[in-house]
Amino acid sequence: MVANVARALRRPLIPWQRMIADVAGETLPNGRMAYPVVVCIVPRRAGKTALQLARSMQRAASARDQRIWYTSQSGTDASEQFREWVSILQSSPINRHIKPRMLTGRESISVLGTGSLVSVFPPIETALHGKDADDVTIDEAWAFDALTGQRLEAALRPATATRKARQLWIVSAGGTSASEWLLSWRELGRALTGPDQGIAYWEWYPEVDAAGNITADLDDPEVWAATHPAIGYHLDIEALIEDRKTMRKEGGSALFYRAYLDVFSDATGDRLIPRRAWDSCQNEDWELAPGPGLRLGCDVASDQAAGAVALAARNGARVGIELVDHRPGIGWMAARVRELRDRYRCTIHADRAGPAGPVIRALEDAGLTCPAWSVRDHVIAAAGFRDAILTGAVVTRPQPALNTAAGAVQRRDIADGWVYSRRRSPADVSPFIAAMLAWDAASRLVPRPPTIVTA
């Protein structure tokens, strides 16, 4: 058992480690692993590295000629971590059962008696070509963008194809909006509905609402204790309290939330829309006044798990925006948009090339039209909306869902410009994009000059 190896390493498993080791180690009657893919997103200092060492050594000792491989965000990082593993093994009773080989970049551990090897490899697209692999761990998966992760995965899969009890482990702490490969696995893992889909998925993170927006107070020690699985074992809550006090400088909060709570950092820091600029646009007393210049924008989350509707109208030198509705799912949206359109006689604006396509088709079936948007329109609107926020040319009431989206929204570069990215953003940003669509249409209306009457 993995637990026995961990005890021999003088690093006994704590509950979260034991749970994962037991579940991920399940096998089927035909000898195959019940979960060929295991994804684990767990905060730093929780003990994921100790779990991987104990698990790898248990597998290497349990059967003959096993080939177990480990990598991290770079070949150098993988080698450094592997050397730490060897140091732990050499100071334990397991030392007499192993034979390390410490050539830089080609480190390995032979397990005497089984002929199994635990080895390191660099995370490149030619990784493990011509090699066999029973078990592969990709650590610190947050470091890979979508293309790099996909190429690495494509390189590794054939190495395991002929091995009966194959298993791929994707392990990481929280990342950033650039952690596209890990975010894609997170999206898949959160969508799992049962245990028969070949993936074992674990993630520790603060409470969120139905749209995936964080609702917990990230500065509450009780939230930390409920989120971090090592607190009360080898990690004291006092250590986090001390770190929080000294990490309040600009960007420090995001680093703390990412390290200890698995909050992907761009959800709270590294903001595309600066907090100070966004806050300066908010006015508790402002109200959107219906009128002929009212424009409606609607947008849908990348996974169509939620949708948003916003209105905008020019308010003197500024354009006012208001999030009218934001709910889970999209089945409600067409009826809600028709209701608002009939009430205010406003034009409707949406991105027909994006996930709002089904909503637009439902509106068109009802006889309503949405102006077509080109890529250039998106580029101009994205930069224009951000500039309007930075210069105070936008006004809105404080609204939690809109505030969260403004803090989370990220950009995607295209050609000579950029657009707001739903997929790269670590939270649902449909409220922000809906507001941008409405703002863009309303801002194009030139205020009518006053009538001058002369005698």
Side-chain angles (χ1 to χ4, degrees), residues 67 74 82 112 146 181 189 195 318 324 336 341 394 432 442 446 449:
R67 295 296 180 262
S74 71
F82 201 83
L112 305 178
W181 187 58
R318 301 199 288 180
V324 179
R336 181 65 165 137
R341 194 268 181 191
V394 171
F432 185 85
V446 179

Side-chain angles (χ1 to χ4, degrees), residues 177-261:
S177 64
S179 307
E180 299 166 325
W181 187 58
L182 181 60
L183 283 169
S184 68
W185 279 107
R186 188 182 76 168
E187 182 178 351
L188 179 61
R190 289 185 177 184
L192 292 175
T193 57
D196 60 344
Q197 299 175 56
I199 300 173
Y201 180 82
W202 288 275
E203 179 187 1
W204 280 261
Y205 60 97
E207 183 179 350
V208 297
D209 61 20
N213 301 311
I214 296 170
T215 58
D217 180 357
L218 298 183
D219 290 321
D220 183 352
E222 291 188 5
V223 173
W224 307 344
T227 303
H228 200 298
I231 291 178
Y233 295 95
H234 58 256
L235 183 64
D236 294 329
I237 193 72
E238 287 77 12
L240 271 66
I241 292 173
E242 292 169 359
D243 280 358
R244 189 68 191 98
K245 288 178 180 177
T246 57
M247 294 176 71
R248 292 187 179 276
K249 61 184 182 297
E250 187 69 25
S253 296
L255 295 175
F256 178 90
Y257 302 147
R258 175 185 171 191
Y260 293 124
L261 301 176

